[in-house]
Amino acid sequence: MFDRLQAVEDRYEKLNELLSDPEIVNDPNKLREYSKEQSNIQETVEVYREYKEITQQYKDAKAMLEEKLDSEMREMVKEEVSELGDQIPGLEERLKILLIPKDPNDDKNVIMEVRGAAGGDEAALFAGDLYRMYSRFAETQGWKIEVMEASSTGVGGYKEIIFMINGNGAYSKMKYENGAHRVQRVPETESGGRIHTSTATVACLPEAEEVEVDIHEKDIRVDTFASSGPGGQSVNTTMSAVRLTHLPTGVVVSCQDEKSQIKNKEKAMKVLRARVYDKFQQEAQAEYDANRKSAVGTGDRSERIRTYNFPQNRVTDHRIGLTIQKLDQILEGKLDEVIDALILEDQSKLLERLEEQ
């Protein structure tokens, strides 16, 4: 472990030199690449340096106990040895976690697609509940939400809503929402008071930059049409809605949220790029994909990951067996307890795998 940590520190120092090189400073791509790499390892280097300083102080203090000291000084040194010794195991655990290979997408913005699945109007209402839950959680994180496309129903829910969450590390937390969510409650339209079970699916895609996925204009078919609202009523008589089809992969994206065709095309391109990037990742990076499926909550999107039980105010995450009696708070966006538990479990599994190697 310490050889790896030293290599990380050496790389950090090399990046410091590179970022001072005028040739690099004048190359925006290299400057961005090296700055990002340095930022990604900065915490590891800081904790490693703290660890080295504490262990050196611990060794020096222990060495002092071998010398002739008066009783008062000996007690002070013993206390220092005890305090320093208590800090070392915690720093070692932090370093182990920091050495876990980072998901390359963790720092990215995320495009989320929430769809009502089984359950008709009730599933669409639940999709709306999930969208509001994620919106409120994003607010608590200081992130911004931008709706890319929405297909609402007459009862206040969504057949489908696609939105982007812009914020540092958004994907690192939201990726655990990937999968099928189940709700158990009495619908407002149910006169007999029977509990219904409905589902909504959530897909979380990291935003892809142009340099990460090469999409040529000749590979995209662009169709324009007049946007429409619920029930088919015309919202816009101009051809502002846009449908993009990526011919090599068959990925199709529509956007009619904006009144401007240009803005709709820009939004649709972001979603298209993310979907194509996600498709290429799953097909071309078999090893990474296998790791992702074995990690917590980043596998098959049809997998049922969580149940929201309204009568008992209970939320259960089936991947880690976590049950919390705070459904009302979670729907208000207080997702930290659930997401932190998923991150911890994910890190534990990855750490176990590293230690087995």
Side-chain angles (χ1 to χ4, degrees), residues 173 175-177 295-297 305-306 317-322 335-348:
K173 292 188 176 183
K175 65 183 177 182
Y176 296 101
E177 297 304 298
V296 177
I305 64 166
R306 195 176 298 149
D317 196 289
H318 305 291
R319 295 163 292 182
I320 55 175
L322 175 70
L335 276 168
D336 294 281
E337 190 174 346
V338 179
I339 289 175
D340 288 348
L342 287 162
I343 291 172
L344 186 61
E345 179 71 13
D346 200 10
Q347 288 177 340
S348 299

Side-chain angles (χ1 to χ4, degrees), residues 44-63:
T44 305
V45 171
E46 288 174 353
V47 176
Y48 178 49
R49 286 174 176 172
E50 183 184 357
Y51 173 81
K52 288 196 292 185
E53 186 179 339
I54 296 290
T55 50
Q56 187 57 54
Q57 290 174 4
Y58 177 74
K59 288 174 186 174
D60 293 344
K62 285 200 79 174

Side-chain angles (χ1 to χ4, degrees), residues 11-27 30-32 34-35 38:
R11 178 60 180 167
Y12 185 83
E13 289 301 326
K14 178 64 177 174
L15 287 166
N16 269 340
E17 292 176 23
L18 289 168
L19 289 168
S20 302
D21 185 333
E23 208 172 298
I24 301 298
V25 171
N26 292 320
D27 184 336
K30 285 288 184 187
L31 185 64
R32 182 171 60 247
Y34 291 145
S35 297
Q38 188 187 57

Side-chain angles (χ1 to χ4, degrees), residues 63-168:
M64 282 184 69
L65 290 175
E66 304 298 320
E67 301 172 7
K68 289 184 179 180
L69 302 169
D70 60 49
S71 57
E72 187 179 344
M73 178 61 78
R74 183 168 292 277
E75 283 306 310
M76 284 176 63
V77 174
K78 276 185 177 180
E79 189 177 330
E80 185 180 4
V81 167
S82 176
E83 287 176 0
L84 292 168
D86 288 343
Q87 292 180 53
I88 291 172
L91 288 169
E92 286 178 346
E93 284 304 307
R94 276 188 72 191
L95 287 169
K96 284 179 185 177
I97 289 169
L98 287 167
L99 279 177
I100 293 171
K102 193 176 179 183
D103 185 333
N105 294 317
D106 274 354
D107 291 332
K108 294 182 178 179
N109 299 328
V110 60
I111 291 175
M112 300 192 69
E113 304 179 353
V114 182
R115 296 179 176 87
D121 284 346
E122 178 61 17
L125 286 168
F126 180 48
D129 291 337
L130 291 176
Y131 167 63
R132 284 183 285 277
M133 176 180 78
Y134 295 138
S135 298
R136 286 163 184 160
F137 177 67
E139 285 174 15
T140 68
Q141 304 297 306
W143 300 336
K144 292 183 179 178
I145 281 196
E146 178 187 6
V147 174
M148 315 294 280
E149 178 68 352
S151 176
S152 58
T153 63
V155 294
Y158 293 100
K159 291 177 185 175
E160 173 187 71
I161 181 163
I162 302 171
F163 54 98
M164 178 181 283
I165 299 180
N166 294 278
N168 187 34

Side-chain angles (χ1 to χ4, degrees), residues 314-328:
R314 183 183 71 217
V315 173
T316 300
D317 196 289
H318 305 291
R319 295 163 292 182
I320 55 175
L322 175 70
T323 296
I324 302 174
Q325 306 288 150
K326 300 176 183 176
L327 171 60
D328 52 341

Side-chain angles (χ1 to χ4, degrees), residues 7-8 39 45 58 110 123 126 138 150 155 196 204 236 242 255 266 272 283 290 316-317 324 335 342 350:
V8 171
S39 175
V45 171
Y58 177 74
V110 60
F126 180 48
V155 294
H196 283 223
C204 307
N236 192 339
V242 174
C255 187
E266 284 175 1
L272 182 73
E283 291 176 354
T316 300
D317 196 289
I324 302 174
L335 276 168
L342 287 162
L350 290 167

